[in-house]
Amino acid sequence: MSHKTLLRTGPLLPGGASPYGSLGLPGPGGLALPSGFTGRVVASSGHKVAGLTWHAAPDGGACFPDGDGWIYVSNSELPLLGGASALRFHADGSVGDAYRILSGTDLNCAGGATPWQTWLSCELGHRGRVFECDPYGARAARPRLAMGRFKHEAAACDPERGVVYMTEDEPDGCFYRFRPGDWGDLTEGTLEVLCSSGRWRVVPSPAALLQETRHQVEDARHFDGGDACHYAGGVCYFTTKGDTGLWAYDAQTSTLDRLCEGVRAITAAPSGDLYVARETTQIDVIAPDRAVTPFLRLVGHEGAELTGLAFSPRGDRLYFSARRGRTEGHTFEVAGPFRG
């Protein structure tokens, strides 16, 4: 988790000096990076990696520690076949294994990592479910139905308040939080929705058999297509794809702020810097002082969507995927002197 976050008030400040300098010429895979950084493609849809055929439509992702190495998990936003796969990296960065951790689910779009080292894979389909998966591949994935049945996009854990925030991909979608009875056990709990008053209210029927969850609470606040979601330093950041907004819910003060437009995916580095994927094939860095500068540009992938941003446990490698439609997808790694 980041030990810093954005200043609490004030606008973002585009331009200015990047903490990493200007971008160089495109290198392998079309990555234009600052000096000192290197990039590579670690997996491509339809191609073998460590014996596994990498899935199409790579979307949300996260990293997990694994001894001296680490694991990167990636969802597949395919209908009926969706699920999620994992890449296991050795300490030197080589790929040692690749395997499925979830299969036979529908439109697994985004999700989120838990503090107890599991992956929440979220289904985007009608009455979608949240599946809790083992990134190490030792235990079978399990649906967490108490977290609600709706078009799930992403999830983000807030260990300070013991809740999981969730976004909903509907033109009038809501912003939810799930409060488990016991932190670390998501089988039972209470689903709540953020309301226009700024307060949270209980969703009466998370199973949504007779009425959609977003329509069960009269004062529920609606957003234009909830998308990515990430918690860092007391703030839950989420994006809305309909209006490409980046929002910040300050859990300490229970206030919501719209930061900017043109953002689709987001993650945070240990430094407190935010890394945001733009509508274009560019990732920007937002420093804690709110300065916004380019970090990388992906050339030759016009029309692709950048998804699954995640840092390795040591914070020295950034992973993401570039997907175009439901067939073409490439998963990238960028390594270098990220700020600590």
Side-chain angles (χ1 to χ4, degrees):
M1 181 184 300
S2 301
H3 55 77
K4 301 177 184 177
T5 188
L6 292 180
L7 297 177
R8 294 291 177 185
T9 59
L12 297 184
L13 306 171
S18 167
Y20 301 113
S22 59
L23 303 185
L25 296 174
L31 283 169
L33 300 166
S35 177
F37 287 85
T38 60
R40 60 173 175 157
V41 176
V42 293
S44 295
S45 297
H47 295 267
K48 294 281 189 180
V49 53
L52 176 76
T53 300
W54 194 242
H55 54 263
D59 207 280
C63 283
F64 299 87
D66 184 45
D68 293 334
W70 61 94
I71 292 168
Y72 177 69
V73 166
S74 171
N75 274 352
S76 173
E77 194 186 336
L78 283 180
L80 303 178
L81 301 174
S85 301
L87 295 173
R88 175 175 275 122
F89 292 88
H90 294 306
D92 63 0
S94 61
V95 178
D97 196 9
Y99 48 93
R100 296 284 282 175
I101 62 170
L102 177 65
S103 298
T105 51
D106 186 40
L107 294 168
N108 294 81
C109 198
T114 69
W116 49 93
Q117 307 303 330
T118 61
W119 168 245
L120 301 180
S121 183
C122 298
E123 288 185 314
L124 186 59
H126 177 65
R127 300 189 73 244
R129 300 159 292 178
V130 175
F131 282 81
E132 188 168 14
C133 310
D134 177 15
Y136 305 96
R139 300 186 305 275
R142 292 288 184 265
R144 300 308 185 200
L145 301 182
M147 300 181 79
R149 301 293 300 274
F150 54 88
K151 286 189 176 181
H152 284 275
E153 262 284 352
C157 290
D158 175 354
E160 297 167 79
R161 275 148 286 275
V163 300
V164 182
Y165 301 103
M166 297 179 290
T167 54
E168 180 180 24
D169 187 8
E170 295 276 10
D172 59 345
C174 290
F175 184 52
Y176 301 91
R177 71 180 184 186
F178 179 68
R179 189 182 297 278
D182 294 307
W183 185 237
D185 182 355
L186 303 177
T187 54
E188 296 181 350
T190 302
L191 182 66
E192 300 173 326
V193 63
L194 182 67
C195 294
S196 299
S197 63
R199 305 183 72 172
W200 295 89
R201 292 183 60 190
V202 174
V203 175
S205 178
L209 293 174
L210 301 177
Q211 189 178 29
E212 306 287 354
T213 54
R214 68 188 188 281
H215 296 151
Q216 292 182 25
V217 175
E218 184 176 356
D219 188 37
R221 180 162 181 174
H222 298 281
F223 300 87
D224 192 358
D227 203 358
C229 187
H230 188 85
Y231 177 85
V235 178
C236 184
Y237 302 94
F238 66 94
T239 65
T240 46
K241 64 179 62 174
D243 54 11
T244 70
L246 173 61
W247 302 75
Y249 175 73
D250 189 327
Q252 297 178 16
T253 60
S254 300
T255 56
L256 183 66
D257 184 23
R258 184 183 171 96
L259 300 179
C260 67
E261 287 74 41
V263 175
R264 287 299 301 269
I266 184 169
T267 194
S271 62
D273 295 326
L274 300 180
Y275 287 74
V276 297
R278 294 292 189 176
E279 285 287 288
T280 59
T281 53
Q282 178 170 304
I283 293 177
D284 289 350
V285 57
I286 306 177
D289 63 2
R290 305 177 81 95
V292 184
T293 53
F295 171 70
L296 70 77
R297 188 172 296 115
L298 190 59
V299 180
H301 295 260
E302 287 72 19
E305 177 187 352
L306 304 189
T307 62
L309 278 65
F311 275 92
S312 62
R314 292 197 301 267
D316 59 347
R317 299 171 193 252
L318 172 66
Y319 294 90
F320 70 94
S321 292
R323 49 169 292 194
R324 189 155 34 198
R326 287 184 173 164
T327 55
E328 183 182 348
H330 304 281
T331 299
F332 292 84
E333 176 196 84
V334 173
F338 289 98
R339 300 202 296 181

